[in-house]
Amino acid sequence: MRVVLLGTAAGGGFPQWNCWCPTCRVARSDPSRAHPRTQSSIAVSPDDVRWFLINASPDVREQLPRLPGPRDPVPDGVTRHVPIEAVLLTDAELDHSVGLALLREARALTLYATAATIDVLERDSRLLPTTRAFASVAVREMPEGQPIALVDRAGAASGLTVEAFAVAGDPPRFASTCRPGHTVGLLVRDEAGGGTLAYVPGCGALDAGVERQLRRADAVLFDGTFWRDDELVALGISTSTARAMGHVPIDGPGGSLRIIAALPAATRVYTHINNTNRILLEDSPQRGALSAAGVLVGDDGLAFTV
Ligand code: MLT
Ligand code: MN
Ligand code: ZN
């Protein structure tokens, strides 16, 4: 299975349009020291031809050209090519779902999400009804703890399966209810190759249940939103801690790094990185600590095979 990181920043991207925190300043003045990043999303493929988009970010239009185009030569008369087979969602947060409406020109889309996420998209953000005004959207519910086959646009099994598992976290602020399954991690497995990827861009606590799921994966992409629990408080940007926002910090008591660094997965990457997080600085001590632990900092365009 091929994995491409299309975007690796948290909501707002990096630098964020209205932010002049120390890291955003470096991204503007010296981008070689802090690479700009688009909002988090990945694509996975069993064959480098059929791609499944996981989370549809507001930056999807500039992200999809990172995937291979239609096989050359494009047959005469072909005027449209949709480069993805389906969209999978971990939650209904705006930075993960606004791209759905931006893909409306596809005419037909397939969406995999949990019942709770589908509910928020239908009733609260109304991204599903809005998208359906332009394209037919086939919705496939992802049950928790049960792998289901990912099907391509032609209706054939792709060879990939996905299994959702619940993680601690807050539902989107605009959600009218808080149903279990509003935020999940995904295990994507290549049935033929045997490789398993864990994608967990938002996670409020790396508890024993989540750790058990991550131990099943050969590659782990995990919530790297904040370095410290009080990161935004210390910068005077917010009064909320990382945990209060549904993101376990990397460092500090109960931080994720100790567990992520000890996972058996050969590839361990932080993604969904907030613009304030000093791991974004190529030469920071925080970056050095991750390097020493063998954990990568996600960068747009990073790709690997699982
Ligand atoms: C989050 O990751 O907590 C949300 O994306 C926050 C937001 O949408 O501003
Ligand atoms: Mn987010
Ligand atoms: Zn910033």
Side-chain angles (χ1 to χ4, degrees):
M1 170 169 48
R2 193 77 183 144
V3 181
V4 178
L5 277 64
L6 296 172
T8 52
F14 181 58
Q16 181 171 306
W17 63 280
N18 63 340
C19 192
W20 267 262
C21 76
T23 32
C24 282
R25 285 172 189 262
V26 177
R28 289 195 185 91
S29 64
D30 187 359
S32 69
R33 276 187 59 218
H35 307 160
R37 287 160 166 88
T38 61
Q39 293 164 90
S40 66
S41 173
I42 65 168
V44 298
S45 172
D47 52 15
D48 276 2
V49 176
R50 295 172 297 169
W51 292 91
F52 291 84
L53 185 69
I54 309 190
N55 290 341
S57 95
D59 302 316
V60 69
R61 185 177 174 278
E62 58 182 290
Q63 292 172 334
L64 288 182
R66 286 197 183 273
L67 301 179
R71 284 263 166 91
D72 279 342
V74 180
D76 280 350
V78 171
T79 53
R80 291 282 199 274
H81 171 73
V82 177
I84 51 168
E85 308 301 316
V87 179
L88 287 67
L89 297 183
T90 58
D91 54 72
E93 293 285 2
L94 292 176
D95 56 339
H96 295 161
S97 60
V98 162
L100 207 55
L102 306 180
L103 295 171
R104 65 194 180 283
E105 293 94 353
R107 293 191 185 139
L109 288 166
T110 298
L111 174 71
Y112 293 83
T114 63
T117 289
I118 293 165
D119 213 41
V120 177
L121 297 170
E122 289 280 12
R123 297 192 305 151
D124 297 319
S125 70
R126 290 194 45 82
L127 277 163
L128 258 176
T130 302
T131 307
R132 272 201 216 99
F134 301 88
S136 70
V137 185
V139 177
R140 289 170 201 264
E141 190 182 319
M142 287 190 300
E144 282 170 49
Q146 196 182 308
I148 58 167
L150 295 180
V151 172
D152 67 20
R153 292 184 76 82
S158 65
L160 301 182
T161 63
V162 65
E163 178 181 337
F165 60 93
V167 299
D170 283 341
R173 281 188 206 193
F174 48 85
S176 51
T177 55
C178 180
R179 287 178 54 187
H182 62 70
T183 306
V184 294
L186 300 178
L187 287 166
V188 183
R189 185 171 168 81
D190 183 339
E191 292 300 323
T196 299
L197 169 77
Y199 189 52
V200 193
C203 181
L206 212 177
D207 52 32
V210 173
E211 182 179 354
R212 187 160 39 81
Q213 301 294 349
L214 300 183
R215 296 192 78 85
R216 297 168 63 195
D218 304 292
V220 171
L221 300 175
F222 192 77
D223 183 341
T225 312
F226 298 111
W227 178 257
R228 285 170 49 157
D229 198 35
D230 67 347
E231 186 163 316
L232 295 184
V233 181
L235 285 164
I237 288 175
S238 169
T239 52
S240 296
T241 61
R243 284 187 174 87
M245 298 174 72
H247 298 288
V248 59
I250 296 172
D251 192 41
S256 63
L257 180 57
R258 199 177 45 80
I259 291 165
I260 296 292
L263 290 173
T267 308
R268 295 159 298 182
V269 186
Y270 278 116
T271 189
H272 188 276
I273 307 160
N274 197 58
N275 61 76
T276 50
N277 192 334
R278 295 180 71 83
I279 65 172
L280 290 166
L281 297 174
E282 300 290 318
D283 52 8
S284 68
Q286 291 82 358
R287 172 68 67 94
L290 295 194
S291 301
V295 180
L296 299 174
V297 175
D299 211 343
D300 293 16
L302 181 70
F304 54 87
T305 300
V306 182

